[in-house]
Amino acid sequence: MKRNEVDRSKISPMMLQYLEIKDNYEDSIIFFRLGDFYEMFFEDAAICSRVLELTLTGKNAGLDERVPMCGVPHHSATSYIDTLIDNGYKVAICEQLEDPKNTKKMVKRDVIQVVTRGTRLDDHIDAKDNNFIASIYDFGYCYGISYSDISTGEFYVTLIDKKEEILVREVCKNNFKEIIVNDDMDRGIVNTLRTNFGVLVSIRKDMLEEDEYSYIYKDLKDERLITTIKHLLCYILENKKGELKHLQKAIFIKSNDHLLFDNNTKRNLELVETIRNRERQYSLLWLLDKTKTAMGSRFLKQNIESPLTNKEDINRRFDMIEVLQTEFILRDDLIKELDGVYDLERLVSRISYGNLNARDMIQLKNSLSHLPRIKEILEKLKYNKTINTLDEVYELLDKSINENAPIGLREGNLIKSGYNSELDEIKSISSGSKEFILSMEKEERERTGINNLKVGFNKVFGYYIEVSNGSKDKIKDEFGYERKQTLTNCERFITPLLKEKENIILSAEEKIINLEYKLFMGIREVVKRYISEIQSVSKVISEVDMLQSFSIVSEANKYVRPSIVSEKVIKMKDCRHPVVEKVMKDGYVSNDVDMGVDTDILLITGPNMAGKSTYMRQTAITIIMAQIGCFVPCTSCTIPIFDKIFTRIGASDDLVSGESTFMVEMKEANFALSEATEDSLILFDELGRGTATYDGMSLAQAILEYIHDKKKSKTMFSTHYHELTVLEQDLDRLKNVHVAASEEDGKLTFLHKIKNGAIDKSYGIHVASIAHLPKSLINRALEILDVYEAKKVKKETFTQTSLFDNIEEEQQENPLLEKIKNIKPLEMTPMDALSFVYEINKEASEEEE
């Protein structure tokens, strides 16, 4: 039976209530609270029975046919909700809004929150990773992107060009878990995000109307930024239905604030996870993460994915690492203190939203206890940021919250004695009554002569006197016992005095629980006033924790401080791949990278497996490490600030889109060639190999010439087309290098050493031999090779002629065109744009005259 097939005039009131609530949450699975269970009905029940492996049953609801139903206990619902969320579903939690004891009518119910991938606030999200939800707003000529991790309160906003590649780069870089788009978004892009990247995408047009959260965007002047923030806020607040005042002011991210790279680069360099297993272990993040706090680990990951481009900020981090390495005793003390700090950012979110417990308060108190010593150490280290130790919050929590408080807020034992006089008085009454019960058992045994008599309690019958069947004939009328319950092996009784004390005790316990809950909520309200200050402390601790991690890793692995210069030079002495070096059993062979101002392109030749790709990767990783403020795996390093990194390493078909390796390769090459600047780094590994030899070689040469003449980016280009090495004669900023190998008695040995000059052999058959292909096959391949080499006519490679001679416009510099190319429209205000158009129009008119 389906929901739309139901005759609502015949259905039971409870099921009608369910259907009316479900009408408002069509795209969510309703967890409908009935007593101690969450029940699911109709199509929701069918989905849950399949995904959660629950038994599908039925419920009578006034219809001829039973309504499909399944359910889970409310106390263990979290794991079931997590499974549904992980499978791409949204879950609406529908609770009872009143106590069934206090009403004779049907209990009121409504959805208190909708849980989605991007709006989770529980303990089950990854502590070492952000959980971003984003709005992508299509303005027709650009995209506005706002994104927030509501578990930490972080909020960011940016504008990007309307290019699918750049949009995908932003999505992958920040690992958005859920995306909201407006009606105008291209449905093809929506499907790409859903299918290729597994992102939960919702199409929404609603905007936030009220001003309660205007503080998030009030400092922004660009209406496009405000629009995309309001678009996201509307969805978040609609789903969470609670207070989210921990959300911070939005930070505007400018494209030139960070080193940019796409998802292919992030994957190829294995920055945060490995290609093979998609795990953190053996990635750069794994190597560098010696942080002690979850906040520090998240901050480190953010920096690896978005390195800095500000020289001053980078050098400030280098300075701090040097201080930490010098003041190693203070560093060890700092590490010890950081180890006791819990995840303040996510604790604050639960305090704000209200889904916290007493354990959270204790974690907050214990974290705050370390702040005075951390502040003292940072002052001794002359760190340029300070923290508020929040002594008043610590003192409040220390004197109020019980150290052994339970997880639940309605179980009592939340508040310490001495904090509230009324509570202490009620506890005293309750305690005296409980002592009376214990003494009563002893007195009743003496009065009745029944030695095994017990005074007990259960939630159904309250307090009782229990007498075994073997002793019940000793009970006399003068004892005043009233039979309350008969069991197989005993009888239970009540007396007027016991009933009186039971009323006092139970009344006191209920008062204690209610008063403690009220006091706890009052304490929470006080702590909420300090949310922004706690968040400020979190930011400082995050960076300090990351820097101490850099210090530890750099010292252990003998990394050095890079020199950041304004000239376009890369000079790395004894550079190593930091992760490969760490996991290799044998000694790692280091290599120099030497690209002066007169060298833009290294053309790298050498056998397969000799280390060309590793050489290219370690160069890029060293640059990324330097631009996040970490020391690098070299004996000396001099580099400029890079704005973008592009890589094309390894073959990968895009099976979902039905695109071949070669098509993917060409698209990625095109993206690099169109987006790269003189300040970019390009890594191309055997570009052009996916097509016929001469096609591939021709494309490779044309691309090299284009980069050399037009882009002038620092480029590392590995190839097996040895004919390309003659380009060194005509391209004055191209330099040949090769990976050395020695061949002796037909045996090939890889030396993994980069040397100047080119080689003219690929040693492919030798590599096949190392891979243990059949010996007869190898011998036959050598015979065939001899035949080909005997027939081979050395084909002349076309050296660069006038590649762009036929394009007259490109030969002549046009100052107006150059001026237009250099503007950054997404960073201009509307008034700036009008002024610029007026100026261009004026200059163009003057030229015509």
Side-chain angles (χ1 to χ4, degrees):
M1 178 187 299
K2 295 183 178 179
R3 187 163 52 92
N4 60 5
E5 299 171 350
V6 171
D7 182 349
R8 298 195 179 191
S9 64
K10 297 180 180 179
I11 207 157
S12 67
M14 185 279 293
M15 192 57 65
L16 181 62
Q17 182 188 52
Y18 167 82
L19 290 173
E20 289 172 349
I21 292 172
K22 177 66 180 177
D23 289 342
N24 297 321
Y25 297 91
E26 294 278 357
D27 62 345
S28 302
I29 292 174
I30 304 284
F31 268 42
F32 193 75
R33 182 71 177 270
L34 287 176
D36 290 335
F37 281 79
Y38 286 120
E39 304 288 2
M40 288 72 75
F41 303 104
F42 297 103
E43 292 91 339
D44 287 359
I47 292 170
C48 289
S49 67
R50 183 183 72 253
V51 176
L52 303 177
E53 298 181 357
L54 301 173
T55 301
L56 187 65
T57 61
K59 184 176 180 65
N60 291 322
L63 303 172
D64 295 336
E65 186 180 344
R66 284 160 61 90
V67 169
M69 179 185 81
C70 65
V72 298
H74 84 277
H75 62 270
S76 61
T78 304
S79 61
Y80 294 104
I81 293 172
D82 287 342
T83 301
L84 289 170
I85 298 303
D86 291 340
N87 279 275
Y89 295 100
K90 302 178 182 180
V91 178
I93 309 297
C94 181
E95 288 286 358
Q96 297 174 171
L97 302 182
E98 55 187 353
D99 191 332
K101 298 176 185 176
N102 300 331
T103 181
K104 294 182 179 178
K105 299 179 181 179
M106 187 173 60
V107 176
K108 291 181 181 178
R109 296 179 178 86
D110 205 351
V111 171
I112 61 166
Q113 67 167 315
V114 179
V115 186
T116 67
R117 283 184 185 173
T119 61
R120 297 170 72 176
L121 277 172
D122 51 57
D123 294 328
H124 295 263
I125 50 180
D126 188 350
K128 293 190 173 185
D129 198 3
N130 280 105
N131 193 62
F132 285 127
I133 180 171
S135 161
I136 300 176
Y137 205 95
D138 187 344
F139 289 102
Y141 57 92
C142 73
Y143 294 119
I145 303 178
S146 61
Y147 54 101
S148 175
D149 182 345
I150 65 171
S151 70
T152 66
E154 297 164 87
F155 219 117
Y156 304 95
V157 64
T158 189
L159 293 171
I160 63 170
D161 292 328
K162 192 173 180 181
K163 294 182 180 178
E164 185 173 345
E165 298 93 339
I166 297 176
L167 179 63
V168 169
R169 180 180 69 195
E170 288 296 314
V171 171
C172 295
K173 181 182 76 174
N174 297 295
N175 193 23
F176 294 148
K177 301 295 190 297
E178 183 176 3
I179 294 174
I180 319 302
V181 300
N182 63 325
D183 286 356
D184 296 328
M185 178 63 73
D186 185 297
R187 295 305 189 265
I189 294 177
V190 171
N191 290 333
T192 296
L193 294 173
R194 285 173 175 167
T195 306
N196 293 15
F197 300 97
V199 182
L200 178 63
V201 183
S202 301
I203 301 171
R204 309 279 297 211
K205 61 181 179 181
D206 303 329
M207 303 287 289
L208 186 69
E209 300 294 339
E210 59 267 24
D211 296 328
E212 187 179 357
Y213 291 87
S214 61
Y215 70 90
I216 293 174
Y217 52 80
K218 70 176 183 180
D219 293 338
L220 300 171
K221 305 302 180 187
D222 194 320
E223 282 298 324
R224 295 170 297 180
L225 302 178
I226 296 172
T227 296
T228 185
I229 289 173
K230 285 184 173 181
H231 187 238
L232 179 58
L233 278 174
C234 183
Y235 181 81
I236 292 173
L237 295 170
E238 182 183 290
N239 283 322
K240 297 315 292 178
K241 299 180 181 296
E243 191 169 313
L244 296 171
K245 287 299 180 66
H246 69 289
L247 294 178
Q248 302 168 38
K249 287 184 178 180
I251 297 172
F252 175 46
I253 304 294
K254 296 180 181 178
S255 60
N256 59 358
D257 286 344
H258 299 281
L259 168 61
L260 303 177
F261 43 77
D262 61 10
N263 193 48
N264 295 311
T265 299
K266 178 178 168 182
R267 186 180 65 249
N268 289 332
L269 299 180
E270 298 186 306
L271 297 180
V272 297
E273 63 181 20
T274 58
I275 295 174
R276 177 173 294 183
N277 299 324
R278 298 184 65 84
E279 292 178 353
R280 177 182 286 235
Q281 189 173 17
Y282 303 131
S283 67
L284 179 64
L285 176 60
W286 163 80
L287 177 73
L288 297 181
D289 193 356
K290 297 295 181 285
T291 58
K292 293 298 178 181
T293 68
M295 300 173 290
S297 186
R298 288 196 298 271
F299 188 67
L300 169 59
K301 185 171 183 286
Q302 286 178 16
N303 275 266
I304 290 176
E305 293 174 328
S306 297
L308 303 175
T309 54
N310 185 292
K311 182 178 177 180
E312 185 179 333
D313 289 341
I314 294 170
N315 277 317
R316 181 181 64 80
R317 291 182 179 181
F318 291 158
D319 292 340
M320 187 59 180
I321 293 172
E322 286 186 338
V323 171
L324 287 167
Q325 289 184 338
T326 304
E327 301 289 347
F328 54 87
I329 295 176
L330 283 175
R331 181 186 65 187
D332 291 345
D333 290 344
L334 176 63
I335 289 171
K336 185 196 290 186
E337 297 299 330
L338 290 172
D339 205 20
V341 177
Y342 289 87
D343 195 341
L344 293 175
E345 289 179 325
R346 287 186 171 164
L347 284 174
V348 160
S349 72
R350 291 201 285 273
I351 290 168
S352 172
Y353 187 64
N355 63 329
L356 78 163
N357 55 46
R359 303 276 179 90
D360 295 328
M361 288 294 203
I362 294 299
Q363 287 184 0
L364 177 59
K365 185 196 81 170
N366 292 340
S367 299
L368 298 181
S369 70
H370 295 276
L371 296 189
R373 178 58 179 151
I374 291 175
K375 181 178 182 180
E376 180 186 342
I377 292 169
L378 294 182
E379 288 173 350
K380 289 181 178 179
L381 294 171
K382 294 183 172 54
Y383 186 59
N384 69 327
K385 298 178 184 177
T386 188
I387 58 174
N388 182 347
T389 54
L390 299 163
D391 297 333
E392 57 272 34
V393 180
Y394 173 79
E395 290 168 7
L396 171 64
L397 297 177
D398 187 47
K399 69 182 181 182
S400 61
I401 306 297
N402 197 325
E403 295 285 349
N404 300 314
I407 293 178
L409 298 181
R410 296 287 188 178
E411 299 174 30
N413 201 31
L414 293 177
I415 307 298
K416 283 183 176 179
S417 298
Y419 176 70
N420 181 273
S421 57
E422 182 185 355
L423 179 63
D424 290 344
E425 185 178 343
I426 300 173
K427 282 184 175 180
S428 177
I429 294 171
S430 175
S431 176
S433 299
K434 286 182 178 179
E435 288 174 4
F436 169 81
I437 295 296
L438 294 174
S439 64
M440 183 180 182
E441 183 176 270
K442 181 179 178 183
E443 291 173 3
E444 287 299 305
R445 285 179 179 179
E446 292 174 354
R447 184 165 77 97
T448 62
I450 303 173
N451 294 328
N452 61 355
L453 179 147
K454 298 177 183 177
V455 177
F457 172 82
N458 67 37
K459 290 183 178 180
V460 178
F461 293 102
Y463 285 93
Y464 54 81
I465 297 170
E466 183 176 290
V467 179
S468 66
N469 288 339
S471 301
K472 65 182 180 181
D473 57 347
K474 296 180 182 179
I475 296 173
K476 300 176 182 178
D477 292 341
E478 59 263 29
F479 293 168
Y481 282 17
E482 300 175 14
R483 183 176 283 102
K484 190 168 186 177
Q485 186 183 16
T486 300
L487 301 177
T488 56
N489 60 344
C490 65
E491 294 276 357
R492 289 176 176 174
F493 303 89
I494 190 73
T495 68
L497 181 61
L498 185 60
K499 191 67 178 174
E500 179 185 343
K501 290 297 180 182
E502 175 186 88
N503 292 334
I504 294 173
I505 293 170
L506 295 181
S507 174
E509 287 183 350
E510 185 176 352
K511 287 180 180 177
I512 289 169
I513 289 172
N514 291 335
L515 182 54
E516 284 199 332
Y517 180 79
K518 181 180 177 182
L519 292 170
F520 183 84
M521 289 294 109
I523 294 164
R524 173 198 163 219
E525 289 303 311
V526 173
V527 174
K528 277 173 66 176
R529 299 175 203 157
Y530 295 87
I531 281 178
S532 62
E533 292 175 64
I534 297 172
Q535 288 174 330
S536 297
V537 170
S538 302
K539 292 184 185 304
V540 175
I541 287 179
S542 298
E543 184 180 52
V544 167
D545 195 13
M546 181 184 75
L547 292 177
Q548 71 76 19
S549 180
F550 288 168
S551 170
I552 292 292
V553 174
S554 297
E555 188 173 75
N557 297 292
K558 296 182 173 57
Y559 296 164
V560 299
R561 175 173 181 159
S563 176
I564 308 294
V565 296
S566 55
E567 295 84 7
K568 276 186 62 181
V569 297
I570 301 177
K571 291 190 180 296
M572 300 176 184
K573 183 72 174 172
D574 296 322
C575 180
R576 295 106 61 195
H577 190 298
V579 179
V580 176
E581 176 192 38
K582 195 72 178 174
V583 300
M584 270 187 66
K585 296 177 182 177
D586 303 324
Y588 186 87
V589 178
S590 60
N591 275 296
D592 298 345
V593 182
D594 189 358
M595 300 178 75
V597 291
D598 57 345
T599 303
D600 285 341
I601 302 173
L602 286 185
L603 185 60
I604 309 166
T605 50
N608 284 314
M609 291 180 57
K612 299 190 300 295
S613 297
T614 301
Y615 179 64
M616 296 165 70
R617 285 189 174 101
Q618 71 191 37
T619 304
I621 288 174
T622 299
I623 289 167
I624 289 170
M625 288 176 66
Q627 290 191 217
I628 64 176
C630 183
F631 287 6
V632 296
C634 303
T635 55
S636 69
C637 177
T638 301
I639 56 171
I641 297 288
F642 285 90
D643 64 351
K644 301 171 186 174
I645 295 178
F646 303 92
T647 67
R648 173 61 204 178
I649 301 175
S652 57
D653 289 4
D654 188 348
L655 298 178
V656 176
S657 302
E659 293 180 345
S660 67
T661 299
F662 186 68
M663 177 57 80
V664 173
E665 188 176 82
M666 290 299 102
K667 282 190 170 183
E668 291 177 7
N670 177 62
F671 181 62
L673 296 176
S674 61
E675 295 293 321
T677 71
E678 290 188 11
D679 298 320
S680 301
L681 175 70
I682 300 175
L683 306 180
F684 281 160
D685 187 19
E686 299 182 33
L687 197 66
R689 63 186 167 182
T691 186
T693 301
Y694 293 132
D695 277 356
M697 189 165 61
S698 303
L699 278 167
Q701 178 173 336
I703 287 169
L704 283 168
E705 291 174 353
Y706 186 85
I707 293 172
H708 183 273
D709 294 340
K710 302 296 289 183
K711 306 308 291 188
K712 299 180 174 59
S713 308
K714 291 293 185 186
T715 302
M716 304 179 89
F717 195 110
S718 72
T719 185
H720 284 295
Y721 298 134
H722 302 292
E723 294 85 349
L724 295 178
T725 56
V726 300
L727 290 174
E728 187 180 50
Q729 300 169 15
D730 296 283
L731 304 181
D732 57 355
R733 291 191 306 280
L734 182 146
K735 177 182 175 183
N736 282 322
V737 296
H738 69 277
V739 189
S742 68
E743 184 182 359
E744 189 173 341
D745 297 329
K747 184 178 180 182
L748 184 67
T749 303
F750 299 124
L751 302 179
H752 304 293
K753 201 68 179 174
I754 299 292
K755 295 185 177 181
N756 290 329
I759 60 170
D760 58 1
K761 288 186 69 176
S762 291
Y763 299 100
I765 296 176
H766 293 80
V767 174
S769 178
I770 293 172
H772 302 296
L773 266 68
K775 191 170 182 180
S776 59
L777 184 153
I778 299 296
N779 291 334
R780 176 58 181 156
L782 289 168
E783 291 173 5
I784 296 171
L785 179 63
D786 289 339
V787 173
Y788 278 128
E789 288 185 339
K791 291 180 178 179
K792 183 177 180 183
V793 178
K794 201 101 174 178
K795 186 176 180 72
E796 180 183 356
T797 301
F798 288 101
T799 55
Q800 186 184 17
T801 54
S802 305
L803 184 62
F804 306 102
D805 278 352
N806 295 328
I807 308 176
E808 187 175 341
E809 292 79 7
E810 290 186 0
Q811 289 181 327
Q812 298 175 354
E813 289 189 6
N814 186 327
L816 286 181
L817 186 59
E818 291 301 314
K819 202 168 187 177
I820 294 170
K821 283 181 179 178
N822 290 331
I823 68 164
K824 296 180 178 177
L826 296 184
E827 297 178 15
M828 299 174 75
T829 65
M831 186 57 69
D832 291 338
L834 284 172
S835 299
F836 180 79
V837 171
Y838 175 79
E839 185 182 334
I840 291 293
N841 180 265
K842 184 178 178 183
E843 290 183 24
S845 299
E846 289 173 353
E847 280 189 9
E848 287 180 0
E849 291 173 4

